[in-house]
Short mmCIF file of all heavy atoms in Angstrom, two decimals:
data_model
loop_
_atom_site.label_atom_id
_atom_site.label_comp_id
_atom_site.label_asym_id
_atom_site.label_seq_id
_atom_site.Cartn_x
_atom_site.Cartn_y
_atom_site.Cartn_z
N VAL A 1 5.38 3.09 3.69
CA VAL A 1 4.68 3.42 2.46
C VAL A 1 3.42 4.15 2.84
O VAL A 1 2.76 3.87 3.75
CB VAL A 1 4.28 2.03 1.75
CG1 VAL A 1 3.59 2.37 0.38
CG2 VAL A 1 5.46 1.09 1.56
N SER A 2 3.10 5.18 2.00
CA SER A 2 1.87 5.81 2.02
C SER A 2 1.05 5.57 0.67
O SER A 2 1.63 5.54 -0.39
CB SER A 2 2.01 7.31 2.27
OG SER A 2 2.78 7.93 1.18
N VAL A 3 -0.27 5.38 0.87
CA VAL A 3 -1.07 5.13 -0.33
C VAL A 3 -2.33 6.00 -0.10
O VAL A 3 -2.79 6.26 0.90
CB VAL A 3 -1.47 3.67 -0.62
CG1 VAL A 3 -0.25 2.90 -1.10
CG2 VAL A 3 -2.08 3.03 0.63
N CYS A 4 -2.90 6.39 -1.28
CA CYS A 4 -4.11 7.32 -1.22
C CYS A 4 -5.29 6.61 -1.82
O CYS A 4 -5.20 5.83 -2.85
CB CYS A 4 -3.78 8.57 -2.07
SG CYS A 4 -5.16 9.82 -1.90
N LEU A 5 -6.51 6.80 -1.26
CA LEU A 5 -7.84 6.28 -1.80
C LEU A 5 -8.57 7.31 -2.44
O LEU A 5 -9.57 6.93 -3.13
CB LEU A 5 -8.59 5.71 -0.57
CG LEU A 5 -7.88 4.65 0.27
CD1 LEU A 5 -8.62 4.37 1.53
CD2 LEU A 5 -7.66 3.37 -0.57
N SER A 6 -8.24 8.61 -2.34
CA SER A 6 -9.05 9.64 -2.84
C SER A 6 -8.54 10.26 -4.16
O SER A 6 -9.00 11.32 -4.61
CB SER A 6 -9.27 10.71 -1.83
OG SER A 6 -7.96 11.45 -1.52
N LYS A 7 -7.52 9.62 -4.79
CA LYS A 7 -7.09 10.01 -6.06
C LYS A 7 -7.72 9.05 -7.08
O LYS A 7 -8.92 9.15 -7.28
CB LYS A 7 -5.64 10.10 -6.11
CG LYS A 7 -5.01 11.15 -5.16
CD LYS A 7 -3.57 11.38 -5.36
CE LYS A 7 -3.13 12.65 -4.58
NZ LYS A 7 -3.17 12.48 -3.11
N GLY A 8 -6.91 8.25 -7.71
CA GLY A 8 -7.49 7.41 -8.82
C GLY A 8 -8.64 6.52 -8.38
O GLY A 8 -9.47 6.10 -9.26
N LEU A 9 -8.59 6.16 -7.12
CA LEU A 9 -9.66 5.15 -6.67
C LEU A 9 -10.99 5.83 -6.43
O LEU A 9 -11.97 5.12 -6.23
CB LEU A 9 -9.18 4.38 -5.40
CG LEU A 9 -7.92 3.47 -5.64
CD1 LEU A 9 -7.72 2.63 -4.43
CD2 LEU A 9 -7.92 2.75 -6.94
N GLY A 10 -11.05 7.11 -6.30
CA GLY A 10 -12.33 7.83 -6.25
C GLY A 10 -13.02 7.92 -4.88
O GLY A 10 -14.14 8.27 -4.87
N ALA A 11 -12.35 7.54 -3.82
CA ALA A 11 -13.02 7.75 -2.49
C ALA A 11 -13.00 9.25 -2.18
O ALA A 11 -12.12 9.96 -2.61
CB ALA A 11 -12.27 6.91 -1.37
N PRO A 12 -13.92 9.68 -1.36
CA PRO A 12 -14.01 11.10 -1.00
C PRO A 12 -12.85 11.63 -0.10
O PRO A 12 -12.49 12.83 -0.14
CB PRO A 12 -15.40 11.32 -0.42
CG PRO A 12 -15.66 9.95 0.23
CD PRO A 12 -15.07 8.95 -0.72
N VAL A 13 -12.43 10.68 0.71
CA VAL A 13 -11.33 11.10 1.78
C VAL A 13 -10.50 9.88 2.04
O VAL A 13 -11.00 8.76 1.99
CB VAL A 13 -12.09 11.51 3.06
CG1 VAL A 13 -11.04 11.68 4.24
CG2 VAL A 13 -12.75 12.90 2.96
N GLY A 14 -9.22 10.15 2.35
CA GLY A 14 -8.48 9.05 2.98
C GLY A 14 -7.20 8.55 2.33
O GLY A 14 -7.16 8.41 1.10
N SER A 15 -6.20 8.37 3.16
CA SER A 15 -4.90 7.72 2.80
C SER A 15 -4.48 6.83 3.87
O SER A 15 -5.10 6.83 4.98
CB SER A 15 -3.81 8.78 2.49
OG SER A 15 -4.07 9.54 1.36
N LEU A 16 -3.53 5.92 3.63
CA LEU A 16 -3.07 5.12 4.70
C LEU A 16 -1.48 5.19 4.65
O LEU A 16 -0.85 5.35 3.58
CB LEU A 16 -3.47 3.67 4.55
CG LEU A 16 -4.99 3.49 4.72
CD1 LEU A 16 -5.68 3.36 3.38
CD2 LEU A 16 -5.23 2.23 5.59
N VAL A 17 -0.85 4.95 5.84
CA VAL A 17 0.55 4.77 5.99
C VAL A 17 0.76 3.45 6.51
O VAL A 17 0.02 2.95 7.46
CB VAL A 17 1.18 5.92 6.91
CG1 VAL A 17 0.49 5.96 8.25
CG2 VAL A 17 2.64 5.64 7.07
N ALA A 18 1.68 2.72 6.00
CA ALA A 18 1.98 1.31 6.36
C ALA A 18 3.44 1.04 6.69
O ALA A 18 4.28 1.60 5.93
CB ALA A 18 1.49 0.32 5.28
N GLY A 19 3.68 0.29 7.63
CA GLY A 19 5.11 -0.05 8.04
C GLY A 19 5.06 -1.13 9.16
O GLY A 19 4.17 -1.99 9.22
N THR A 20 6.08 -1.05 10.02
CA THR A 20 6.12 -2.02 11.14
C THR A 20 5.13 -1.70 12.18
O THR A 20 4.57 -0.59 12.20
CB THR A 20 7.52 -2.00 11.74
OG1 THR A 20 7.73 -0.70 12.38
CG2 THR A 20 8.63 -2.22 10.67
N THR A 21 4.91 -2.66 13.06
CA THR A 21 3.98 -2.40 14.12
C THR A 21 4.32 -1.17 14.96
O THR A 21 3.52 -0.38 15.33
CB THR A 21 3.80 -3.70 15.03
OG1 THR A 21 3.42 -4.78 14.19
CG2 THR A 21 2.85 -3.47 16.12
N ASP A 22 5.64 -1.08 15.23
CA ASP A 22 6.13 -0.01 16.09
C ASP A 22 6.04 1.29 15.32
O ASP A 22 5.65 2.34 16.00
CB ASP A 22 7.63 -0.22 16.40
CG ASP A 22 7.80 -1.29 17.46
OD1 ASP A 22 6.80 -1.72 18.13
OD2 ASP A 22 8.91 -1.79 17.65
N GLN A 23 6.21 1.31 14.10
CA GLN A 23 6.18 2.63 13.30
C GLN A 23 4.73 3.10 13.37
O GLN A 23 4.41 4.27 13.46
CB GLN A 23 6.57 2.39 11.83
CG GLN A 23 8.05 2.36 11.64
CD GLN A 23 8.42 2.02 10.24
OE1 GLN A 23 7.75 1.21 9.56
NE2 GLN A 23 9.48 2.60 9.69
N ILE A 24 3.77 2.17 13.14
CA ILE A 24 2.34 2.60 13.13
C ILE A 24 1.84 2.92 14.50
O ILE A 24 0.96 3.79 14.53
CB ILE A 24 1.53 1.42 12.44
CG1 ILE A 24 2.05 1.23 11.04
CG2 ILE A 24 0.00 1.81 12.47
CD1 ILE A 24 2.11 2.48 10.17
N ALA A 25 2.35 2.37 15.49
CA ALA A 25 1.93 2.71 16.83
C ALA A 25 2.34 4.14 17.10
O ALA A 25 1.59 4.92 17.69
CB ALA A 25 2.57 1.75 17.87
N GLU A 26 3.62 4.51 16.71
CA GLU A 26 4.06 5.87 16.90
C GLU A 26 3.22 6.86 15.97
O GLU A 26 3.00 7.94 16.37
CB GLU A 26 5.55 5.94 16.53
CG GLU A 26 6.13 7.35 16.75
CD GLU A 26 7.57 7.41 16.39
OE1 GLU A 26 8.03 6.74 15.41
OE2 GLU A 26 8.29 8.24 16.91
N ALA A 27 3.00 6.33 14.77
CA ALA A 27 2.18 7.18 13.86
C ALA A 27 0.83 7.55 14.32
O ALA A 27 0.27 8.61 14.21
CB ALA A 27 2.07 6.57 12.52
N ARG A 28 0.24 6.52 15.08
CA ARG A 28 -1.06 6.74 15.73
C ARG A 28 -1.01 7.87 16.79
O ARG A 28 -1.91 8.71 16.83
CB ARG A 28 -1.67 5.51 16.27
CG ARG A 28 -3.02 5.59 16.91
CD ARG A 28 -3.56 4.31 17.41
NE ARG A 28 -3.97 3.42 16.27
CZ ARG A 28 -5.17 3.48 15.79
NH1 ARG A 28 -6.10 4.33 16.14
NH2 ARG A 28 -5.45 2.73 14.70
N VAL A 29 0.07 7.89 17.54
CA VAL A 29 0.22 8.97 18.51
C VAL A 29 0.44 10.37 17.87
O VAL A 29 -0.26 11.27 18.26
CB VAL A 29 1.46 8.66 19.45
CG1 VAL A 29 1.74 9.83 20.34
CG2 VAL A 29 1.20 7.41 20.24
#
């Protein structure tokens, strides 16, 4: 899942991607 903080929530920058520990470890790379 991806979610955004800089659209309706009004933050100046930033989104997040969420999944399994392995998926996020690979995403960090």
Side-chain angles (χ1 to χ4, degrees):
V1 184
S2 55
V3 290
C4 186
L5 303 170
S6 63
K7 293 187 173 68
L9 298 193
V13 168
S15 290
L16 293 101
V17 55
T20 66
T21 301
D22 288 345
Q23 284 175 320
I24 299 309
E26 183 183 29
R28 182 176 285 275
V29 172

